[in-house]
Amino acid sequence: MAKKAVATLHEGSTDGRAYSKVIKMVKSPKTGAYIFDEQMVPNKDVKEFFKN
């Protein structure tokens, strides 16, 4: 049963591979401390995420 379940997961859509988790360190204007901005971004928009 386990092998069958794993096989069906691999046969499913590969939409999850089209996204990357990106983490950017941003300085808070209020306190001056650094905060982390974590987002799931499509692979094609990763460079644009870090530009902003």
Side-chain angles (χ1 to χ4, degrees), residues 4 7 17:
K4 217 175 211 185
R17 295 182 192 168

Side-chain angles (χ1 to χ4, degrees), residues 6-51:
V6 171
T8 57
L9 289 175
H10 288 287
E11 291 173 5
S13 67
T14 57
D15 291 336
R17 295 182 192 168
Y19 288 85
S20 297
K21 182 177 184 179
V22 290
I23 303 171
K24 180 169 50 170
M25 193 165 65
V26 181
K27 192 169 188 175
S28 172
K30 217 181 225 186
T31 63
Y34 286 97
I35 57 173
F36 295 97
D37 182 17
E38 297 182 29
Q39 292 183 13
M40 293 296 289
V41 178
N43 289 339
K44 61 182 179 174
D45 297 333
V46 170
K47 288 185 180 181
E48 185 178 321
F49 173 80
F50 286 113
K51 283 183 184 177

